[in-house]
Amino acid sequence: MTTPGARDPVIQLCRVVKTYGAAHSAVHALRGVSLTIRRGERVAILGASGSGKSTLMNVLALLDNVNQGSYRLDGVDVRHRTEDELAEIRNRRIGLVFQAFNLLPALTALRNVELPLVYSGVRRAERERRALEALETVGLDGRAHHLPSELSGGEQQRVAVARAVVNEPAIVLADEPTGNLDSVASRSVMGVLRRFNGQGRTVVVITHDHDVAAFAGRVVEMRDGRIVDDRPQVAPGEPARAGVGGRTA
Ligand code: ADP
Ligand code: MG
């Protein structure tokens, strides 16, 4: 069935199981997770510590493999791929933002943002132009030549967001992106992610924080390695979007 506004799936997880360890010491981090996220959605994955959020993020980001189930990313089945192929798919289709920013300390903001373009083989002049443009969209073009140590936490995270989007990925995945930030910096980082989503990009934020989840148009809740709730969320003053979240309101 086609619903008005329904869009291509970017993420299709089907009955994914991830277990760490074996036998009596096995930890069942994901116990059969099925999830479809469509282009242009803004999703929060919410859950308490230990519920399996980071495991899910690592699976979605192709940083970890699964024991069972299937995963299609942007229409591509990612099973049976070599490490090199996975790295290539990850670099082109996924933008990652981590709690700890993960910027390279010896590189300026500009060089950090350029990295995904270096891996994609983009030439230097074009890299600089696109990296500066990405820094401009997060309001930090004036800080392009600063090192991470010369930036505040909120600024570092906005640089990380610029790096995540510079390659125009199909999806931006952020794991607890505001976990190390005060409330002012948190709002600014979430504002940037929201703006990207407003431009039609797909954004998934993983969080244990209900305030952060309030940014999303859809909240997927995890508990003990399972999805226990999946609901649309309408922000004040924003019209509901039919079809988003694979449901009709
Ligand atoms: P969350 O991000 O929601 O806090 P995680 O995905 O990090 O949850 O963890 C889910 C469960 O899997 C927890 O019980 C955790 O201890 C376990 N776990 C996560 N990573 C590993 C690992 N590399 N080895 C063993 N157990 C792990
Ligand atoms: Mg986690």
Side-chain angles (χ1 to χ4, degrees), residues 53-54 175-176 206:
K53 304 183 300 297
S54 293
D175 191 3
E176 303 280 4
I206 289 170

Side-chain angles (χ1 to χ4, degrees), residues 184-196:
V184 173
S186 293
R187 273 200 295 280
S188 126
V189 165
M190 295 312 293
V192 164
L193 287 171
R194 203 183 165 118
R195 269 211 308 285
F196 282 120

Side-chain angles (χ1 to χ4, degrees), residues 3-16:
T3 47
R7 288 177 256 189
D8 297 339
V10 177
I11 282 175
Q12 287 171 287
L13 277 186
C14 191
R15 298 194 204 101
V16 162

